[in-house]
């Protein structure tokens, strides 16, 4: 597939504030079962993914499946942001996905956020949903897979959500287990 047929959707580098709207409740839903290895997620990331999949279900969309390779990419980027204490998008994301199990991707997007280390996953979810560009990524029907990682450093959490999609199954489960550490 040529690069000309691929589409890039990126949310602007909007800092996600720790202050969030109140009154939005999220009921966790299980992520859809994958036909391969599912990466281990922290309770924070599992809750964030449950909130996201609940919103997608409420909009008639299939849930996202967390996959190891894309989670490795998100993991590396969250570690980078935490190390340098900067909120920025991964400009190399499109080049990293093919080497991390998503060689057939046709679309991808990324949400990055930072908040207080004491804030909840529900708080980060509400902040993402309050941002039109982040919300658009969460509710994009073309996305099937997600990489998710949150790194806490000092008094802040640094989160990356990397979304991947295509018309057919675009993730290669032969990538295996997650490999990134920081």
């Amino acid at each position: 597939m040529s690069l000309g047929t691929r589409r890039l959707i990126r949310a602007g580098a909007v800092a996600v504030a720790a202050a969030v709207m109140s009154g939005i409740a999220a009921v966790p839903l299980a992520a859809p079962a994958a036909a391969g290895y599912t990466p281990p997620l922290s309770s924070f990331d599992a809750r964030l993914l449950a909130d996201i999949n609940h919103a997608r279900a409420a909009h008639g969309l299939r849930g996202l499946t967390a996959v190891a390779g894309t989670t490795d990419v998100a993991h590396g980027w969250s570690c980078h942001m935490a190390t340098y204490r900067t909120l920025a998008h991964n400009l190399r994301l499109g080049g990293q996905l093919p080497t991390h199990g998503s060689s057939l991707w046709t679309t991808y997007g990324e949400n990055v956020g930072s908040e207080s280390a004491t804030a909840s996953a529900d708080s980060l979810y509400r902040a993402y949903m309050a941002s039109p560009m982040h919300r658009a990524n969460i509710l994009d029907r073309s996305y099937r897979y997600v990489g998710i990682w949150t790194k806490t450093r000092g008094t802040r959490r640094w989160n990356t959500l990397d979304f991947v999609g295509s018309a057919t199954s675009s993730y290669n489960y032969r990538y295996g287990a997650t490999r990134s550490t920081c």
Side-chain angles (χ1 to χ4, degrees), residues 70-90:
T70 311
T71 294
D72 275 355
V73 175
H75 185 160
W77 193 248
S78 290
C79 291
H80 171 84
M81 290 189 302
T83 297
Y84 293 101
R85 298 173 195 241
T86 187
L87 187 63
H89 285 281
N90 180 356

Side-chain angles (χ1 to χ4, degrees), residues 108-135:
Y108 67 89
E110 180 174 67
N111 286 359
V112 295
S114 177
E115 68 175 1
S116 166
T118 61
S120 68
D122 296 339
S123 171
L124 180 59
Y125 162 78
R126 288 189 301 265
Y128 277 142
M129 292 301 281
S131 162
M133 289 181 284
H134 291 103
R135 179 185 175 92

Side-chain angles (χ1 to χ4, degrees), residues 34 53 160:
N53 280 336
T160 304

Side-chain angles (χ1 to χ4, degrees), residues 96-121:
Q96 291 175 330
L97 292 173
T99 61
H100 289 79
S102 293
S103 61
L104 300 177
W105 66 264
T106 56
T107 184
Y108 67 89
E110 180 174 67
N111 286 359
V112 295
S114 177
E115 68 175 1
S116 166
T118 61
S120 68

